[in-house]
């Protein structure tokens, strides 16, 4: 929320500290103009058939795929993630748009049995002008999660990207416009959260708002939205537990933990943020995990072979560094690998931090109860499934969780008992477009992806026809 006030926002490349580009700092008036233009465009867009809208989304997705290298390079420059991850994200964006385009013809209401009053049926209609507030960690994929269902359902959408990563969103918007989606139907307002973001949250003319970001800002957005009559979807933080049972395939669980924690430099809402390993396999698991994590090649995401980029900015690095600094002294923990700012001279202008594994910290310390948004993985040893589940459910979060086991009984117990919006068995992190995704407890409310998200962008009208 601390963004300095000038007319222009300079977007900083976190790997080099240099400018990756600039964007306009939109004011509340700019947001109000975007809303006005969208209101004028709404009836024309809503009147198109879902198939016509889908055609434009298919074209956009195709263009995004064709320009994936250029888009991925821009995403890496503004966000820091390695180029292969940026490409995955761009392809993920195209896949989400294609998914919603492909189900456009399935939008339907219900036909209800004839009653004494005659025939009844429901129709699904778009809500009107919707808003999307996007964070910096997965800016393109999260944009697609909100854009696909909102546009297919016949709404207009105004997107407010994070001021740390607005450049790729702007380019995606230009692609959508060049493929025939009108500029006033889909627009991007770049600017600070306190100015442009608040304007969307406070407006009574925004029918639905989907927010992804921190719990603190999400709660604030909820307060701003209160009384405006808008439908709110909140995708907030997570502190996903990963439980590794005695019968798990240890090598694949180690690989899953590494991919699940260090992808995007640990800055993913559904990253593996806490590991609970059964005691009889704990030593072998920690040894193999430490070995793999110490081999992760950290560096500028543009350079081939880089497996982990920098944190989003120097403040984020400072925060992680401060958190870890007293962990051995104050909590009796042991840093098995990493734990420091990456010190090599060629990386000194970027916000790099070593991939870190920590063992032996008390299970009720902040590493296990808070969301740590960086490449730090705490490992705890548990005696059985009951203890694992009790520890996993200890936090205020309830986004994702995973259990690694060959046993059907363990899988059932974990999927039944874990407080989480999504539970993976022998996997973590990946979510295909057709699978609904969202949190419980303080991790948010509402769902993105799948048919559930499409429903969030439509209202149901009931018709009773008496002959
Ligand atoms: O998020 P914010 P930030 C967590 C993570 C991270 C921390 C801060 O712990 O370190 O949040 O990240 C807009 N009204 N997550 O500062 O502040 C803002 O401009 C309306 C977890 O980026 O929540 C941006 O577009 N909007 C999360 C968006 O909200 C406002 C992903 C998110 O910003 C606003 C990202 C306001 N008053 C961060 N203030 C996850 N778990 O995936 C800000 N915004």
């Amino acid at each position: 929320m601390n963004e300095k006030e000038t007319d222009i926002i300079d977007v900083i490349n976190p790997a080099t500290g240099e400018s990756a580009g600039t964007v306009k700092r939109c004011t509340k008036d700019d947001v109000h103009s975007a809303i006005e233009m969208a209101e004028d465009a709404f009836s024309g867009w809503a009147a198109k058939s879902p198939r016509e809208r889908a055609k434009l989304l298919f074209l956009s997705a195709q263009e995004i795929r064709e320009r994936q290298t250029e888009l991925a390079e821009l995403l890496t420059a503004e966000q820091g993630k390695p180029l292969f991850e940026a490409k995955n994200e761009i392809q993920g964006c195209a896949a989400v748009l294609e998914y919603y385009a492909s189900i456009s013809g399935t939008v339907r209401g219900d036909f209800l049995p004839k009653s004494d009053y005659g025939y009844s049926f429901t129709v699904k209609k778009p809500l009107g002008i919707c808003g999307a507030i996007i964070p910096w960690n997965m800016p393109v994929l999260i944009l697609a999660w909100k854009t696909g269902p909102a546009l297919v359902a016949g709404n207009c959408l105004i997107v407010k990207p994070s001021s740390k990563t607005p450049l790729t969103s702007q380019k995606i918007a230009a692609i959508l416009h060049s493929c025939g989606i009108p500029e006033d139907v889909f627009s991007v307002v770049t600017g600070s959260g306190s100015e442009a973001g608040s304007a969307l949250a406070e407006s009574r003319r925004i029918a639905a708002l989907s927010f992804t970001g921190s719990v603190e800002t999400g709660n604030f957005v909820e307060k701003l939205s209160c009384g405006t009559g808008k439908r709110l979807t909140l995708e907030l933080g997570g502190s996903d537990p990963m439980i590794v049972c005695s019968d798990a395939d240890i090598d694949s669980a180690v690989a899953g933990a590494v991919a699940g924690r260090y992808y995007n430099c640990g800055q993913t809402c559904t990253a593996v943020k806490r590991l609970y390993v059964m005691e009889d396999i704990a030593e072998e698991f920690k040894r193999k995990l430490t070995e793999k994590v110490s081999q992760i090649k950290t560096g500028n995401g543009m350079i081939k072979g880089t497996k982990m980029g920098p944190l989003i900015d120097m403040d984020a690095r400072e925060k992680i560094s401060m958190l870890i600094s007293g962990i051995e002294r104050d909590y009796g923990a042991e840093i098995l690998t990493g734990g420091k700012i990456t010190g090599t001279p060629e990386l000194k202008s970027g916000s790099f931090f070593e991939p870190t594994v920590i063992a032996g910290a008390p299970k009720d310390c902040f590493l296990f109860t808070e969301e740590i948004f960086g490449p730090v993985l705490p490992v705890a040893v548990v005696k059985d499934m009951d203890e694992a589940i009790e520890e996993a459910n200890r936090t205020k979060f309830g986004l994702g969780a995973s259990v690694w086991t060959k046993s059907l009984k363990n899988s059932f117990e974990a999927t039944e008992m874990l407080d989480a919006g999504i539970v993976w068995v022998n996997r973590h992190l990946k979510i295909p477009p057709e699978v609904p995704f969202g949190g419980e407890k303080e991790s948010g409310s509402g769902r993105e992806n799948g048919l559930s998200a499409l429903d969030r962008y439509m209202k149901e009208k009931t018709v009773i026809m008496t002959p």
Side-chain angles (χ1 to χ4, degrees):
M1 276 200 265
N2 345 297
E3 296 147 337
K4 269 191 263 137
E5 295 304 312
T6 61
D7 293 345
I8 296 293
I9 295 171
D10 195 9
V11 180
I12 302 300
N13 180 332
T16 62
E18 290 161 4
S19 175
T22 57
V23 292
K24 181 180 172 185
R25 183 184 295 278
C26 291
T27 61
K28 290 202 171 187
D29 285 345
D30 292 319
V31 175
H32 296 148
S33 311
I35 295 174
E36 248 163 55
M37 291 195 317
E39 282 172 341
D40 290 343
F42 173 62
S43 56
W45 180 248
K48 283 185 188 298
S49 69
R51 200 189 303 274
E52 278 178 279
R53 293 193 289 264
K55 213 179 339 169
L56 304 180
L57 277 185
F58 272 129
L59 276 175
S60 304
Q62 190 184 343
E63 183 71 10
I64 288 168
R65 284 192 192 280
E66 277 166 17
R67 291 173 60 183
Q68 59 176 280
T69 302
E70 166 200 346
L71 289 164
E73 283 173 0
L74 185 60
L75 181 55
T76 294
E78 67 175 339
Q79 204 274 352
K81 61 184 67 187
L83 215 42
F84 76 92
E85 287 188 10
K87 270 198 183 156
N88 278 346
E89 188 170 340
I90 302 294
Q91 288 164 4
C93 164
V96 170
L97 299 183
E98 285 160 354
Y99 165 70
Y100 282 104
S102 72
I103 60 166
S104 64
T106 67
V107 172
R108 69 186 64 178
D110 271 337
F111 190 77
L112 302 153
K114 188 170 174 250
S115 70
D116 292 345
Y117 307 120
Y119 291 106
S120 306
F121 56 90
T122 63
V123 285
K124 296 274 181 76
K125 298 175 77 72
L127 298 171
I129 317 307
C130 300
I133 299 181
I134 316 273
W136 46 261
N137 61 336
M138 310 278 266
V140 177
L141 187 61
I142 294 174
L143 176 141
W145 286 349
K146 302 177 195 303
T147 302
L151 293 189
V152 160
N155 302 283
C156 295
L157 185 69
I158 301 171
V159 175
K160 209 298 283 172
S162 165
S163 45
K164 291 172 189 161
T165 54
L167 301 173
T168 323
S169 307
Q170 266 192 337
K171 202 158 241 184
I172 300 267
I175 289 176
L176 264 59
H177 299 152
S178 72
C179 291
I181 296 175
E183 289 183 26
D184 28 19
V185 164
F186 177 81
S187 59
V188 170
V189 287
T190 51
S192 71
S194 52
E195 177 97 11
S198 296
L200 286 174
E202 286 162 353
S203 174
R204 290 175 180 278
R205 292 148 78 189
I206 297 288
L209 180 63
S210 179
F211 170 90
T212 305
S214 60
V215 174
E216 184 200 18
T217 309
N219 290 339
F220 188 63
V221 163
E222 192 170 19
K223 282 199 189 100
L224 291 177
S225 302
C226 186
T228 63
K230 65 170 59 67
R231 190 179 287 184
L232 198 57
T233 299
L234 295 171
E235 294 294 347
L236 309 179
S239 179
D240 288 12
M242 167 171 167
I243 298 171
V244 187
C245 299
S246 306
D247 67 341
D249 176 331
I250 294 187
D251 291 336
S252 81
V254 166
V258 173
R261 171 73 275 198
Y262 302 95
Y263 193 81
N264 203 15
C265 199
Q267 305 165 114
T268 306
C269 46
T270 51
V272 172
K273 299 205 175 99
R274 306 174 275 148
L275 253 175
Y276 298 101
V277 186
M278 305 276 170
E279 58 193 359
D280 52 343
I281 55 159
E283 285 316 308
E284 181 185 356
F285 188 92
K286 282 192 274 185
R287 183 174 42 76
K288 289 185 166 173
L289 177 70
T290 306
E291 195 184 320
K292 275 235 182 267
V293 173
S294 61
Q295 289 164 0
I296 295 174
K297 192 171 166 359
T298 307
N300 187 326
M302 290 292 187
I303 295 169
K304 213 169 163 211
T306 297
K307 290 284 182 267
M308 195 181 90
L311 286 152
I312 187 65
D313 57 22
M314 291 295 189
D315 287 349
R317 184 176 78 170
E318 186 58 24
K319 193 171 162 190
I320 295 287
S321 186
M322 290 286 291
L323 282 174
I324 302 308
S325 62
I327 196 74
E328 290 181 307
R329 187 190 58 233
D330 301 339
Y331 291 90
E334 184 188 0
I335 297 179
L336 299 180
T337 184
K340 297 188 299 300
I341 286 170
T342 311
T344 55
E346 72 276 16
L347 299 183
K348 73 176 186 319
S349 5
S351 41
F352 295 95
F353 196 84
E354 292 175 346
T356 301
V357 179
I358 299 174
K363 294 183 191 106
D364 60 353
C365 91
F366 70 91
L367 284 176
F368 292 100
T369 56
E370 298 300 322
E371 178 181 37
I372 310 294
F373 224 51
V376 175
L377 184 54
V379 188
V381 178
V382 286
K383 60 177 185 312
D384 55 24
M385 194 63 156
D386 287 346
E387 188 188 0
I389 288 176
E390 191 183 328
E391 290 301 331
N393 287 344
R394 187 197 276 271
T395 73
K396 61 186 178 191
F397 299 106
L399 195 55
S402 64
V403 59
W404 297 68
T405 179
K406 293 187 192 115
S407 139
L408 199 56
K409 182 176 173 292
N410 286 341
S411 312
F412 264 82
E413 198 176 332
T415 48
E416 193 63 21
M417 299 301 293
L418 285 166
D419 296 339
I422 180 164
V423 181
W424 290 270
V425 177
N426 295 324
R427 170 170 290 280
H428 203 114
L429 199 66
K430 297 284 181 192
I431 303 162
E434 53 280 353
V435 174
F437 156 70
E440 290 183 4
K441 292 156 71 174
E442 292 188 30
S443 290
S445 55
R447 289 291 177 266
E448 294 200 293
N449 267 9
L451 295 173
S452 310
L454 192 57
D455 255 354
R456 304 280 303 167
Y457 289 97
M458 289 186 294
K459 58 189 174 192
E460 195 168 35
K461 178 176 267 186
T462 303
V463 181
I464 300 175
M465 269 195 180
T466 305

